[in-house]
């Protein structure tokens, strides 16, 4: 996070930001959200992306409780699992950019969805086989972490429908994840 912050600060141009006052700001925001909500295809893309992100967020916000407290995994071992998982997510984030460039957004999002669903189904089944065996559960967590970044194509497809509303789409996605 610190490295990302430093890189962001170094790459941001030092330009003056002009804030324009809009008398009908709330009305305009509501109009944009309404246009978004009326478009079934766009909403579908956003919901799929948001739910995938929510699965990822919910798992990692509870992973330490599940693995350390309930399954008695050592903090050191848990740290290794989290690092391995983070590396998988980062590698597949870069891979998603490459695949989008080579095969396109649709191919990438579809592959991501398939990989993600395999991970979710595998995680569901593995926890019912032996909920205390991290060696059975964790490979499916890595599969989920590999599919999730490939699914960014869903948001890109939503932005393609309303390119002038990137901020609204991203904020709506964030609202759904929260």
């Amino acid at each position: 996070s610190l490295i990302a912050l430093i890189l962001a600060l170094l790459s941001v141009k030092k330009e003056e930001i002009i804030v324009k006052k809009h008398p009908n700001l709330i009305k305009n925001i509501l109009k944009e959200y309404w246009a978004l909500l009326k478009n079934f295809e766009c909403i579908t893309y956003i919901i799929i992306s948001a739910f995938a992100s929510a699965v990822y967020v919910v798992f990692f916000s509870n992973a330490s409780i599940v693995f350390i407290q309930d399954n008695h995994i050592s903090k050191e071992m848990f740290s290794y699992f989290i690092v391995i998982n983070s590396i998988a997510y980062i590698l597949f984030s870069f891979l998603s950019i490459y695949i989008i460039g080579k095969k396109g957004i649709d191919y990438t999002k579809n592959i991501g969805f398939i990989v993600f669903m395999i991970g979710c189904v595998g995680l569901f089944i593995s926890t019912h086989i032996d909920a205390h065996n991290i060696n059975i559960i964790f490979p499916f967590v890595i599969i989920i972490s590999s599919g999730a970044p490939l699914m960014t194509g869903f948001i890109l497809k939503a932005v393609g429908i309303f390119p002038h509303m990137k901020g609204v789409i991203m904020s709506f996605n964030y609202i759904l994840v929260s």
Side-chain angles (χ1 to χ4, degrees), residues 21-168:
K21 290 187 177 185
H22 295 283
N24 298 322
L25 183 62
I26 301 294
K27 184 179 176 183
N28 290 340
I29 291 171
L30 291 175
K31 277 171 117 176
E32 288 182 344
Y33 272 105
W34 182 244
L36 190 74
L37 289 169
K38 290 190 315 187
N39 189 300
F40 180 76
E41 182 182 11
C42 187
I43 283 297
T44 303
Y45 289 140
I46 294 170
I47 288 173
I48 291 169
S49 176
F51 284 169
S53 297
V55 166
Y56 195 77
V57 168
V58 166
F59 178 79
F60 280 98
S61 30
N62 295 300
S64 63
I65 296 168
V66 172
F67 289 122
I68 295 172
Q69 285 184 356
D70 296 346
N71 292 335
H72 309 291
I73 303 296
S74 71
K75 290 178 183 177
E76 293 80 18
M77 184 60 79
F78 177 72
S79 299
Y80 290 126
F81 286 126
I82 293 300
V83 168
I84 291 168
N85 191 66
S86 298
I87 289 170
Y89 188 89
I90 291 166
L91 288 175
F92 276 84
S93 294
F94 286 112
L95 183 63
S96 71
I97 296 166
Y98 176 78
I99 296 173
I100 287 172
K102 292 289 184 188
K103 299 280 189 171
I105 293 172
D106 286 327
Y107 179 85
T108 309
K109 75 173 177 52
N110 293 341
I111 292 296
F113 184 75
I114 291 167
V115 171
F116 188 83
M117 290 309 296
I118 289 169
C120 287
V121 170
L123 183 62
F124 179 79
I125 292 169
S126 67
T127 56
H128 283 79
I129 292 171
D130 186 357
H132 299 288
N133 189 343
I134 195 167
N135 295 319
I136 295 173
I137 296 170
F138 197 71
F140 294 108
V141 174
I142 292 177
I143 293 170
I144 290 170
S145 295
S146 301
L150 296 173
M151 290 178 62
T152 56
F154 284 102
I155 283 294
L156 295 175
K157 293 293 283 186
V159 168
I161 295 170
F162 293 111
H164 64 285
M165 294 187 351
K166 291 177 189 143
V168 173

